[in-house]
Amino acid sequence: PVAAAKPSSADSDPITTVDPLGVEVGYALVTLVDEARGGTLLTRVRAIRRQIATETGLLVPPVHVSDNLQLGPRVYTILVKGVEVARGELYTDRLLAINPGTVTQVMEGISAREPAFGLPAVWVAQDRREQALAAGYTVVDPTTAVSTHLSEVIRTFLPDLLTRQQTKDMIDRVGETAPKLVEELVPKIVSVGDVQRVLRQLLRERVPVRDLMTILEALADAAAISKDPDVHVESVRAALGRSICRSYQAENGELGVLSLSPALEDALMASLTRTDRGAVLALDPNRAQSLATRLGEALATEDLAQPVLLCSPMLRPHLWRLFSRALPHVAVLSHAEIPAQVRVLSVATLD
């Protein structure tokens, strides 16, 4: 390896463990990693881990960075638990000019896609930076392009990186300040696995888990009356409502939402079916597809910076599961999560 973010014990131990996170680079990209040659990628990776930990409340495992001669010279791959989940291509001698959709003049260069979000982009010569900025492009260097990509991948896979052991350590830290709460809750009412499941679902929906005390208190109340994991998550989300809404509110404090018409909400509630694994939304695939399409169209016409769909707490987890694949950037919030002081502005209604 060119550089590892932590010392490897692979040489002494014949059975190597899989690194939770890894980046492999082709030989032309080694300069980005090699600190002796001015490479700043490892410093960036450390900064990303710190930033994500501060935002989400979850420690990010070290990222193992190494070269891989089987890759194309300019290719890098991002691995989660040893499996490739993303890849990109970089030109170390050029800059990536990203088109945010407002470009006034098209630049010459090698056309590409911005790796993290798939925006149209072009690799331009380094001396064309000012020209690209003047034309409305966002210009980044190759290290920033791969760092942004890595940061997005880590955020997406954070739920999979949360282990039972890490969950236990987090609970123990709360136990130092609130011993009674933890003693009453784990393992008498819920197991460490139950807490891990709730935290993972919050992370899937990009909800920070910094305020673990509030999360555990809400979980203690919910678990005392129900065994349904959805009920646990909804209770915790309601307790975290103020911080959940904060990230979707406009500067003036308003929360712009798409809402469901009462008729549609009733129809969806009627299709909730109880099974031995909790409630499921029994929609036929065509109806589910048309609902996702209509939601997508409504979002496109309203052009919300932070799209939010508002519905009842009973429907919320099911609608999130329904839309999370097709429309991953849509937040699904329930009425129970919105504090009384927040002004809600309905911009469109699905019926």
Side-chain angles (χ1 to χ4, degrees):
V2 186
K6 57 176 185 180
S8 166
S9 58
D11 309 331
S12 55
D13 186 355
I15 300 171
T16 57
T17 53
V18 176
D19 285 305
L21 285 168
V23 174
E24 292 185 345
V25 297
Y27 67 81
L29 305 184
V30 168
T31 49
L32 301 181
V33 182
D34 189 353
E35 289 178 330
R37 285 149 77 182
T40 56
L41 185 58
L42 296 181
T43 317
R44 286 291 184 82
V45 168
R46 285 191 285 273
I48 287 168
R49 290 178 57 218
R50 271 199 306 277
Q51 185 189 359
I52 293 178
T54 309
E55 284 173 21
T56 63
L58 201 65
L59 284 174
V60 178
V63 180
H64 186 88
V65 184
S66 58
D67 60 356
N68 180 348
L69 299 178
Q70 265 126 25
L71 292 174
R74 289 190 306 274
V75 173
Y76 66 87
T77 58
I78 300 173
L79 307 144
V80 173
K81 298 183 180 175
V83 179
E84 180 189 321
V85 295
R87 66 167 51 205
E89 193 169 3
L90 304 173
Y91 290 81
T92 50
D93 56 343
R94 287 174 176 257
L95 295 170
L96 186 62
I98 303 158
N99 180 352
T102 52
V103 164
T104 52
Q105 169 204 349
V106 178
M107 295 286 293
E108 291 285 308
I110 302 163
S111 71
R113 289 254 162 212
E114 185 277 330
F117 302 102
L119 294 168
V122 59
W123 288 99
V124 298
Q126 292 191 346
D127 57 7
R128 311 284 293 281
R129 180 193 180 95
E130 298 307 320
Q131 193 187 336
L133 287 169
Y137 284 91
T138 306
V139 182
V140 298
D141 61 50
T143 305
T144 304
V146 63
S147 303
T148 309
H149 196 184
L150 177 65
S151 174
E152 266 309 294
V153 167
I154 293 175
R155 284 169 208 280
T156 303
F157 286 91
L158 217 46
D160 304 333
L161 297 169
L162 175 65
T163 61
R164 283 268 208 290
Q165 184 58 52
Q166 193 176 358
T167 308
K168 173 83 172 70
D169 296 344
M170 288 164 73
I171 294 169
D172 290 346
R173 276 203 297 281
V174 173
E176 288 165 17
T177 49
K180 206 85 206 111
L181 166 65
V182 171
E183 189 184 306
E184 179 193 315
L185 183 64
V186 183
K188 287 180 190 162
I189 305 178
V190 293
S191 66
V192 172
D194 294 329
V195 177
Q196 180 193 23
R197 191 158 49 234
V198 169
L199 296 182
R200 277 183 159 174
Q201 185 55 34
L202 293 171
L203 291 166
R204 268 184 211 113
E205 301 195 49
R206 306 262 172 136
V207 174
V209 295
R210 285 192 305 267
D211 187 0
L212 195 58
M213 181 94 75
T214 299
I215 291 171
L216 293 180
E217 287 192 334
L219 184 55
D221 294 341
I225 52 172
S226 171
K227 289 270 178 278
D228 185 343
D230 279 349
V231 172
H232 296 176
V233 172
E234 291 314 297
S235 303
V236 169
R237 284 182 63 104
L240 296 174
R242 194 170 292 106
S243 74
I244 291 176
C245 287
R246 188 68 231 127
S247 54
Y248 301 107
Q249 282 169 265
E251 282 176 18
N252 63 3
E254 279 185 349
L255 182 69
V257 300
L258 295 164
S259 38
L260 304 177
S261 70
L264 176 57
E265 189 134 328
D266 291 346
L268 289 169
M269 289 292 276
S271 63
L272 277 180
T273 313
R274 291 253 158 241
T275 69
D276 49 3
R277 297 190 60 183
V280 294
L281 194 60
L283 276 189
D284 74 78
N286 294 340
R287 268 192 80 186
Q289 183 58 52
S290 80
L291 201 56
T293 309
R294 290 224 303 285
L295 179 58
E297 285 165 359
L299 291 174
T301 49
E302 293 305 328
D303 192 31
L304 292 168
Q306 291 276 14
V308 171
L309 178 68
L310 188 62
C311 61
S312 71
M314 288 283 287
L315 284 175
R316 201 208 69 77
H318 305 289
L319 291 183
W320 178 79
R321 284 193 279 267
L322 187 63
F323 297 132
S324 62
R325 284 228 160 103
L327 302 160
H329 56 295
V330 177
V332 185
L333 269 55
S334 84
H335 301 289
E337 292 158 25
I338 297 175
Q341 310 82 350
V342 174
R343 281 216 318 284
V344 176
L345 181 72
S346 180
V347 292
T349 306
L350 291 180
D351 64 20

